Amino acid sequence: MKDIKSFLLFICLSGIIMVSPAMAGERPLSIIYAGEGIGNIRLGDRMEDVIKNLMWGKPEEFRKDEKNGEYYLIYKAKGVSFIFQAGKKAIGENILQKVIINSPAFITAGRGVRVGDKGVDIEGPLFPQAQQKMALQTNMDGCVDDDKEKDKRVKVCKGVRFIINKENDVIEAIEIFSPSPK
């Protein structure tokens, strides 16, 4: 009887792992690296290289923001937007400046925080499983509040910005940007 319970537990856990977002083709891009990028996509990459490395096909939306001098590649179904500087180069040569994540399929390295988590999780203590699995960083360094928006709370850490709904304290978006050199 004990062997049957162990076997059934193994089967159930295997099924959960196999249907997780990490196993559904999202593995290479599932980790957010503060100040660096997501997965193998890095800030500073050229637009054509980002599109090629993503293997997601054409974005659902492409637009230029004349005021800020930026191009936006928006993959709504994936919950990811890429922002490039709109210089005088050919479009594919423009450089990635920022990534905005609106999907819980991506998780921050070290903290294990994702869209949909509570804002208090950003600086709370790490649970032991995360410490073992994500030794990339143990905390979000230098986090400061930037509450300029009326209905949002913004927590800015080195290379990552968390946009949090003030009413329910839920992280709505995570932005990855290059921290300014000191």
Side-chain angles (χ1 to χ4, degrees):
M1 186 71 161
K2 188 176 181 180
D3 291 333
I4 292 173
K5 286 183 181 178
S6 298
F7 178 73
L8 289 175
L9 178 62
F10 173 77
I11 296 296
C12 288
L13 290 175
S14 297
I16 290 169
I17 290 169
M18 294 306 287
V19 297
S20 72
M23 300 303 284
E26 296 296 327
R27 188 71 169 152
L29 294 173
S30 61
I31 298 179
I32 298 168
Y33 297 100
E36 295 179 28
I38 56 173
N40 62 349
I41 305 297
R42 293 289 179 254
L43 299 175
D45 286 354
R46 297 176 323 145
M47 185 186 295
E48 66 182 16
D49 294 332
V50 170
I51 293 170
K52 183 173 68 176
N53 290 333
L54 283 173
M55 295 184 287
W56 290 350
K58 292 183 180 181
E60 285 98 341
E61 189 176 335
F62 175 82
R63 71 172 189 253
K64 182 176 182 179
D65 180 344
E66 295 285 345
K67 181 180 175 188
N68 294 320
E70 297 173 330
Y71 288 117
Y72 291 81
L73 291 181
I74 302 169
Y75 292 87
K76 292 178 184 178
K78 301 288 186 182
V80 181
S81 298
F82 298 94
I83 301 164
F84 299 82
Q85 107 294 359
K88 295 183 179 180
K89 301 176 181 183
I91 286 185
E93 297 294 315
N94 291 292
I95 303 300
L96 180 62
Q97 298 182 94
K98 187 188 310 183
V99 181
I100 301 173
I101 306 294
N102 295 310
S103 166
F106 299 86
I107 190 165
T108 59
R111 294 303 304 168
V113 178
R114 60 180 69 210
V115 169
D117 286 349
K118 291 288 188 179
V120 296
D121 294 339
I122 297 168
E123 294 185 277
L126 277 174
F127 49 94
Q129 297 89 339
Q131 288 176 338
Q132 292 170 2
K133 291 180 184 175
M134 297 185 186
L136 299 168
Q137 77 185 55
T138 56
N139 62 11
M140 291 292 181
D141 297 326
C143 294
V144 295
D145 289 321
D146 181 12
D147 295 339
K148 294 177 184 168
E149 293 189 42
K150 188 176 185 178
D151 59 340
K152 306 286 183 230
R153 182 166 68 92
V154 179
K155 191 73 139 174
V156 181
C157 307
K158 188 176 180 181
V160 67
R161 182 178 294 116
F162 298 91
I163 290 63
I164 306 159
N165 183 306
K166 279 186 180 179
E167 190 175 305
N168 60 12
D169 192 43
V170 171
I171 299 169
E172 294 181 342
I174 300 173
E175 297 178 5
I176 302 102
F177 62 93
S178 183
S180 4
K182 291 185 177 183

PDB file of all heavy atoms in Angstrom, residues 31-33 108-111 130-139:
ATOM      1  N   ILE A  31      12.958  33.680 -16.842  1.00  0.00           N
ATOM      2  CA  ILE A  31      13.604  34.362 -15.726  1.00  0.00           C
ATOM      3  C   ILE A  31      13.913  35.809 -16.087  1.00  0.00           C
ATOM      4  O   ILE A  31      14.477  36.114 -17.135  1.00  0.00           O
ATOM      5  CB  ILE A  31      14.889  33.623 -15.292  1.00  0.00           C
ATOM      6  CG1 ILE A  31      14.513  32.219 -14.820  1.00  0.00           C
ATOM      7  CG2 ILE A  31      15.604  34.384 -14.187  1.00  0.00           C
ATOM      8  CD1 ILE A  31      15.667  31.374 -14.380  1.00  0.00           C
ATOM      9  N   ILE A  32      13.543  36.703 -15.163  1.00  0.00           N
ATOM     10  CA  ILE A  32      13.803  38.134 -15.291  1.00  0.00           C
ATOM     11  C   ILE A  32      15.101  38.432 -14.559  1.00  0.00           C
ATOM     12  O   ILE A  32      15.224  38.139 -13.370  1.00  0.00           O
ATOM     13  CB  ILE A  32      12.660  38.961 -14.653  1.00  0.00           C
ATOM     14  CG1 ILE A  32      11.339  38.695 -15.368  1.00  0.00           C
ATOM     15  CG2 ILE A  32      13.017  40.442 -14.638  1.00  0.00           C
ATOM     16  CD1 ILE A  32      10.120  39.243 -14.623  1.00  0.00           C
ATOM     17  N   TYR A  33      16.054  39.022 -15.264  1.00  0.00           N
ATOM     18  CA  TYR A  33      17.321  39.419 -14.654  1.00  0.00           C
ATOM     19  C   TYR A  33      17.330  40.936 -14.533  1.00  0.00           C
ATOM     20  O   TYR A  33      17.376  41.644 -15.547  1.00  0.00           O
ATOM     21  CB  TYR A  33      18.501  38.946 -15.501  1.00  0.00           C
ATOM     22  CG  TYR A  33      18.578  37.437 -15.615  1.00  0.00           C
ATOM     23  CD1 TYR A  33      18.102  36.787 -16.748  1.00  0.00           C
ATOM     24  CD2 TYR A  33      19.111  36.677 -14.590  1.00  0.00           C
ATOM     25  CE1 TYR A  33      18.162  35.407 -16.855  1.00  0.00           C
ATOM     26  CE2 TYR A  33      19.175  35.289 -14.687  1.00  0.00           C
ATOM     27  CZ  TYR A  33      18.694  34.668 -15.822  1.00  0.00           C
ATOM     28  OH  TYR A  33      18.752  33.303 -15.925  1.00  0.00           O
ATOM     29  N   THR A 108      11.313  36.790 -11.242  1.00  0.00           N
ATOM     30  CA  THR A 108      12.586  37.468 -11.013  1.00  0.00           C
ATOM     31  C   THR A 108      13.604  36.507 -10.436  1.00  0.00           C
ATOM     32  O   THR A 108      13.294  35.705  -9.556  1.00  0.00           O
ATOM     33  CB  THR A 108      12.427  38.670 -10.055  1.00  0.00           C
ATOM     34  OG1 THR A 108      11.899  38.228  -8.815  1.00  0.00           O
ATOM     35  CG2 THR A 108      11.539  39.738 -10.647  1.00  0.00           C
ATOM     36  N   ALA A 109      14.811  36.594 -10.946  1.00  0.00           N
ATOM     37  CA  ALA A 109      15.912  35.775 -10.424  1.00  0.00           C
ATOM     38  C   ALA A 109      16.171  36.164  -8.983  1.00  0.00           C
ATOM     39  O   ALA A 109      16.181  37.342  -8.640  1.00  0.00           O
ATOM     40  CB  ALA A 109      17.166  35.989 -11.267  1.00  0.00           C
ATOM     41  N   GLY A 110      16.361  35.195  -8.157  1.00  0.00           N
ATOM     42  CA  GLY A 110      16.711  35.442  -6.762  1.00  0.00           C
ATOM     43  C   GLY A 110      15.523  35.631  -5.854  1.00  0.00           C
ATOM     44  O   GLY A 110      15.426  35.001  -4.815  1.00  0.00           O
ATOM     45  N   ARG A 111      14.578  36.478  -6.237  1.00  0.00           N
ATOM     46  CA  ARG A 111      13.428  36.765  -5.373  1.00  0.00           C
ATOM     47  C   ARG A 111      12.245  35.859  -5.657  1.00  0.00           C
ATOM     48  O   ARG A 111      11.421  35.634  -4.785  1.00  0.00           O
ATOM     49  CB  ARG A 111      12.978  38.227  -5.538  1.00  0.00           C
ATOM     50  CG  ARG A 111      13.951  39.242  -5.081  1.00  0.00           C
ATOM     51  CD  ARG A 111      14.360  39.111  -3.655  1.00  0.00           C
ATOM     52  NE  ARG A 111      13.220  39.145  -2.762  1.00  0.00           N
ATOM     53  CZ  ARG A 111      13.266  38.822  -1.491  1.00  0.00           C
ATOM     54  NH1 ARG A 111      14.372  38.433  -0.961  1.00  0.00           N
ATOM     55  NH2 ARG A 111      12.197  38.885  -0.741  1.00  0.00           N
ATOM     56  N   ALA A 130      13.398  29.012  -2.436  1.00  0.00           N
ATOM     57  CA  ALA A 130      13.910  30.003  -3.386  1.00  0.00           C
ATOM     58  C   ALA A 130      15.397  30.213  -3.182  1.00  0.00           C
ATOM     59  O   ALA A 130      16.148  30.392  -4.129  1.00  0.00           O
ATOM     60  CB  ALA A 130      13.173  31.327  -3.240  1.00  0.00           C
ATOM     61  N   GLN A 131      15.846  30.196  -1.929  1.00  0.00           N
ATOM     62  CA  GLN A 131      17.271  30.368  -1.665  1.00  0.00           C
ATOM     63  C   GLN A 131      18.074  29.251  -2.308  1.00  0.00           C
ATOM     64  O   GLN A 131      19.152  29.469  -2.828  1.00  0.00           O
ATOM     65  CB  GLN A 131      17.535  30.391  -0.161  1.00  0.00           C
ATOM     66  CG  GLN A 131      17.053  31.659   0.508  1.00  0.00           C
ATOM     67  CD  GLN A 131      17.231  31.609   2.012  1.00  0.00           C
ATOM     68  OE1 GLN A 131      17.320  30.541   2.612  1.00  0.00           O
ATOM     69  NE2 GLN A 131      17.268  32.775   2.628  1.00  0.00           N
ATOM     70  N   GLN A 132      17.536  28.047  -2.292  1.00  0.00           N
ATOM     71  CA  GLN A 132      18.246  26.912  -2.861  1.00  0.00           C
ATOM     72  C   GLN A 132      18.197  26.932  -4.386  1.00  0.00           C
ATOM     73  O   GLN A 132      19.188  26.664  -5.045  1.00  0.00           O
ATOM     74  CB  GLN A 132      17.642  25.601  -2.358  1.00  0.00           C
ATOM     75  CG  GLN A 132      17.881  25.385  -0.883  1.00  0.00           C
ATOM     76  CD  GLN A 132      17.070  24.223  -0.348  1.00  0.00           C
ATOM     77  OE1 GLN A 132      16.354  23.559  -1.095  1.00  0.00           O
ATOM     78  NE2 GLN A 132      17.167  23.982   0.934  1.00  0.00           N
ATOM     79  N   LYS A 133      17.044  27.245  -4.957  1.00  0.00           N
ATOM     80  CA  LYS A 133      16.862  27.173  -6.404  1.00  0.00           C
ATOM     81  C   LYS A 133      17.420  28.374  -7.143  1.00  0.00           C
ATOM     82  O   LYS A 133      17.813  28.269  -8.287  1.00  0.00           O
ATOM     83  CB  LYS A 133      15.373  27.031  -6.743  1.00  0.00           C
ATOM     84  CG  LYS A 133      14.795  25.705  -6.341  1.00  0.00           C
ATOM     85  CD  LYS A 133      13.332  25.654  -6.716  1.00  0.00           C
ATOM     86  CE  LYS A 133      12.699  24.359  -6.238  1.00  0.00           C
ATOM     87  NZ  LYS A 133      11.279  24.330  -6.476  1.00  0.00           N
ATOM     88  N   MET A 134      17.398  29.546  -6.522  1.00  0.00           N
ATOM     89  CA  MET A 134      17.775  30.770  -7.222  1.00  0.00           C
ATOM     90  C   MET A 134      18.877  31.494  -6.476  1.00  0.00           C
ATOM     91  O   MET A 134      18.639  32.480  -5.811  1.00  0.00           O
ATOM     92  CB  MET A 134      16.566  31.676  -7.382  1.00  0.00           C
ATOM     93  CG  MET A 134      15.495  31.079  -8.212  1.00  0.00           C
ATOM     94  SD  MET A 134      14.209  32.266  -8.465  1.00  0.00           S
ATOM     95  CE  MET A 134      13.026  31.255  -9.299  1.00  0.00           C
ATOM     96  N   ALA A 135      20.056  30.997  -6.579  1.00  0.00           N
ATOM     97  CA  ALA A 135      21.180  31.601  -5.881  1.00  0.00           C
ATOM     98  C   ALA A 135      21.761  32.781  -6.651  1.00  0.00           C
ATOM     99  O   ALA A 135      22.847  33.237  -6.354  1.00  0.00           O
ATOM    100  CB  ALA A 135      22.247  30.553  -5.639  1.00  0.00           C
ATOM    101  N   LEU A 136      21.056  33.272  -7.657  1.00  0.00           N
ATOM    102  CA  LEU A 136      21.573  34.343  -8.503  1.00  0.00           C
ATOM    103  C   LEU A 136      21.680  35.666  -7.746  1.00  0.00           C
ATOM    104  O   LEU A 136      22.578  36.449  -7.969  1.00  0.00           O
ATOM    105  CB  LEU A 136      20.693  34.513  -9.735  1.00  0.00           C
ATOM    106  CG  LEU A 136      20.634  33.279 -10.622  1.00  0.00           C
ATOM    107  CD1 LEU A 136      19.530  33.419 -11.638  1.00  0.00           C
ATOM    108  CD2 LEU A 136      21.954  33.056 -11.309  1.00  0.00           C
ATOM    109  N   GLN A 137      20.749  35.930  -6.864  1.00  0.00           N
ATOM    110  CA  GLN A 137      20.829  37.087  -5.979  1.00  0.00           C
ATOM    111  C   GLN A 137      19.905  36.803  -4.812  1.00  0.00           C
ATOM    112  O   GLN A 137      18.940  36.078  -4.941  1.00  0.00           O
ATOM    113  CB  GLN A 137      20.466  38.388  -6.687  1.00  0.00           C
ATOM    114  CG  GLN A 137      18.989  38.606  -6.910  1.00  0.00           C
ATOM    115  CD  GLN A 137      18.733  39.847  -7.730  1.00  0.00           C
ATOM    116  OE1 GLN A 137      19.252  39.993  -8.813  1.00  0.00           O
ATOM    117  NE2 GLN A 137      17.928  40.738  -7.233  1.00  0.00           N
ATOM    118  N   THR A 138      20.213  37.339  -3.653  1.00  0.00           N
ATOM    119  CA  THR A 138      19.412  37.006  -2.481  1.00  0.00           C
ATOM    120  C   THR A 138      18.415  38.086  -2.117  1.00  0.00           C
ATOM    121  O   THR A 138      17.515  37.857  -1.334  1.00  0.00           O
ATOM    122  CB  THR A 138      20.312  36.733  -1.270  1.00  0.00           C
ATOM    123  OG1 THR A 138      21.144  37.868  -1.056  1.00  0.00           O
ATOM    124  CG2 THR A 138      21.156  35.502  -1.495  1.00  0.00           C
ATOM    125  N   ASN A 139      18.557  39.277  -2.625  1.00  0.00           N
ATOM    126  CA  ASN A 139      17.565  40.314  -2.356  1.00  0.00           C
ATOM    127  C   ASN A 139      17.576  41.350  -3.471  1.00  0.00           C
ATOM    128  O   ASN A 139      18.453  41.351  -4.300  1.00  0.00           O
ATOM    129  CB  ASN A 139      17.819  40.966  -0.996  1.00  0.00           C
ATOM    130  CG  ASN A 139      19.164  41.659  -0.936  1.00  0.00           C
ATOM    131  OD1 ASN A 139      19.840  41.845  -1.934  1.00  0.00           O
ATOM    132  ND2 ASN A 139      19.560  42.041   0.248  1.00  0.00           N
TER     133      ASN A 139
END
